[in-house]
Amino acid sequence: MTERSLLIVCMNYAPEQTGCGKYTGEIGREMLSRGHDVAVVTTPPHYPGWRVAPGHSNGWSSEVSDGVRINRCPLVLREKMGGVSRLIAPASFALSATYESRPGSADRSMRQAFAILPPPSDGVTTVTLPAR
């Protein structure tokens, strides 16, 4: 762990090419290029179709992409994502991301953490992290 270690918590991350996923992937790569040790807690790519992208599973997985450590958590997805399902998906990510980000977990000894919102549930995980 370095003073420049950073944990990004977000429901969408690269390789998603729309919305927050694209933006957050760019932030992760930029922070790495500026000398930060970057880890991400996110979901499998699933947006905008609300289906897990080919080559990924809706479970726990880890990978390194462009030098950024990415830890993917499951989330609840329904065939028809509307109404209550649109609330359940981010809430399920908040639960799995909080578990994945717990102290003692691999890569979770980060000095700084931030959440990319929406959804507001991502902020729940970030505020539960203890100060380091």
Side-chain angles (χ1 to χ4, degrees):
M1 176 177 61
T2 68
E3 288 296 322
R4 295 179 61 100
S5 54
L6 176 65
L7 176 64
I8 299 172
V9 179
C10 54
M11 192 166 155
N12 305 92
Y13 193 80
E16 292 180 359
Q17 290 300 307
T18 59
C20 292
K22 180 179 185 315
Y23 170 72
T24 309
E26 291 168 355
I27 289 174
R29 289 187 299 274
E30 178 64 23
M31 297 307 285
L32 184 73
S33 76
R34 293 179 181 213
H36 292 267
D37 178 23
V38 180
V40 176
V41 173
T42 190
T43 63
H46 65 277
Y47 189 80
W50 293 99
R51 285 184 289 287
V52 175
H56 293 271
S57 67
N58 192 10
W60 305 98
S61 67
S62 296
E63 64 190 85
V64 176
S65 178
D66 297 324
V68 175
R69 292 184 313 282
I70 303 170
N71 299 285
R72 298 194 186 270
C73 304
L75 80 160
V76 175
L77 292 173
R78 302 274 189 249
E79 190 171 315
K80 294 184 179 182
M81 291 296 292
V84 174
S85 296
R86 292 289 298 260
L87 299 173
I88 292 172
S92 69
F93 171 64
L95 289 172
S96 62
T98 299
Y99 176 77
E100 179 67 19
S101 303
R102 73 196 183 284
S105 216
D107 295 332
R108 281 348 130 237
S109 303
M110 299 300 188
R111 290 272 186 207
Q112 302 170 57
F114 73 92
I116 302 296
L117 307 170
S121 56
D122 293 1
V124 171
T125 300
T126 306
V127 299
T128 63
L129 294 171
R132 308 239 192 282

